[in-house]
Amino acid sequence: MRKDSDLPVELAQMRKEIEKLETEKLLQRDEIRALKAEASSYQHELMSLDSKVQSLEKQAMQDAPATTIGKEVRLRYLERHRQRMGRNIGMLGHDRIKCGDRAAHRGRPVVDALLCLTGLITDHEVYLDLYGVSPETMKKWKEVPEMVEITGFHASLQSEGRMTREFQESFERLLEVAKTCSSSMELRAAFGENKSLQQFQDKLQYCYDKIVAENPRGRQKSSS
């Protein structure tokens, strides 16, 4: 039988066990809090990294066209020097020179619009005068290849002083029709369905080719 003298000892042991359990419980709570805090920190870090990745992806998309142009221009520079050294540059070298010439001197609507919209070019009137549309409008139309090509024609002629009244008037009439479309998707579809747009596109292509063929390097007055 349990002696009365054993009770204090047993009570003391029970108290120790209870204290031990309570201590372990407190330690577990602290560990849980620490794990939650660590998880929250990781979550914020992941969100921050995800935001940085999205920003870098966006920047990469913006930089890609300009990077391509820069590469083409530099390849042209190197191939031309090889040519001056008397090296046989072959078909590839001649193609690189042609691509570099186009990259350096032709209008590039989307790339130049991004230069304006990212603040590298602050005088947007320059863009409007060259391309006939604002940088904001070009950004909306960047997925419409017909408008990218036609505004590029406009810039090439304008920058070289070869713009003609015939081209400018047809260009303005095309813009009137294009601006009736509520979205770039609608405009893109319209080039396959709207006969007026197709006719203006064909006429502008014809005008551009004619100007380049007749006077590839000369300068014409805009009233011609």
Side-chain angles (χ1 to χ4, degrees):
M1 292 181 62
R2 179 185 298 172
K3 296 179 181 180
D4 291 341
S5 60
D6 294 335
L7 288 174
V9 176
E10 292 180 359
L11 287 172
Q13 290 177 344
M14 290 179 64
R15 288 192 186 99
K16 286 183 180 179
E17 290 294 328
I18 291 171
E19 288 175 358
K20 183 180 178 181
L21 290 171
E22 288 179 344
T23 301
E24 290 178 353
K25 187 176 181 180
L26 287 172
L27 290 173
Q28 288 176 351
R29 285 180 179 175
D30 287 342
E31 183 68 18
I32 289 171
R33 290 194 189 100
L35 289 172
K36 285 183 176 179
E38 188 176 5
S40 178
S41 176
Y42 284 141
Q43 187 175 11
H44 283 99
E45 187 176 355
L46 286 171
M47 290 174 63
S48 176
L49 289 172
D50 185 59
S51 177
K52 289 180 181 178
V53 168
Q54 290 182 11
S55 177
L56 289 171
E57 287 177 345
K58 182 179 179 182
Q59 188 64 44
M61 289 179 66
Q62 292 180 346
D63 292 345
T67 301
T68 299
I69 291 173
K71 182 181 72 174
E72 290 175 346
V73 172
R74 299 317 302 165
L75 285 172
R76 176 191 65 168
Y77 178 82
L78 294 170
E79 290 295 349
R80 277 191 170 167
H81 191 69
R82 287 182 66 221
Q83 196 175 37
R84 293 189 191 100
M85 291 173 67
R87 300 282 199 275
N88 180 12
I89 63 174
M91 184 64 70
L92 177 62
H94 287 292
D95 288 343
R96 284 176 171 174
I97 290 174
K98 289 179 183 178
C99 287
D101 287 339
R102 288 196 296 268
H105 301 296
R106 284 190 181 179
R108 292 288 183 132
V110 177
V111 175
D112 290 351
L114 290 173
L115 293 176
C116 290
L117 296 175
T118 54
L120 292 174
I121 300 294
T122 57
D123 189 352
H124 290 195
E125 290 297 320
V126 172
Y127 186 93
L128 180 61
D129 186 68
L130 273 173
Y131 292 100
V133 298
S134 68
E136 292 79 9
T137 299
M138 192 67 251
K139 184 181 178 182
K140 294 177 184 177
W141 289 349
K142 64 185 177 67
E143 301 298 335
V144 185
E146 294 85 357
M147 292 306 302
V148 173
E149 181 180 49
I150 292 167
T151 52
F153 290 163
H154 188 283
S156 295
L157 297 178
Q158 187 77 330
S159 66
E160 296 172 6
R162 295 187 289 171
M163 180 63 68
T164 65
R165 179 179 297 170
E166 181 183 14
F167 186 97
Q168 184 62 36
E169 288 179 351
S170 297
F171 181 82
E172 290 173 357
R173 291 178 68 185
L174 178 138
L175 288 185
E176 290 177 4
V177 179
K179 288 179 179 179
T180 62
C181 297
S182 59
S183 68
S184 60
M185 289 182 63
E186 183 180 340
L187 177 57
R188 190 169 183 174
F191 271 101
E193 302 168 357
N194 189 308
K195 290 184 178 180
S196 294
L197 276 177
Q198 293 170 359
Q199 289 172 354
F200 286 132
Q201 180 189 7
D202 291 342
K203 185 172 182 180
L204 287 165
Q205 178 72 65
Y206 171 78
C207 286
Y208 178 79
D209 291 341
K210 181 181 177 183
I211 293 167
V212 172
E214 291 179 350
N215 191 11
R217 294 185 180 178
R219 300 181 66 85
Q220 297 182 4
K221 296 180 181 179
S222 59
S223 59
S224 61

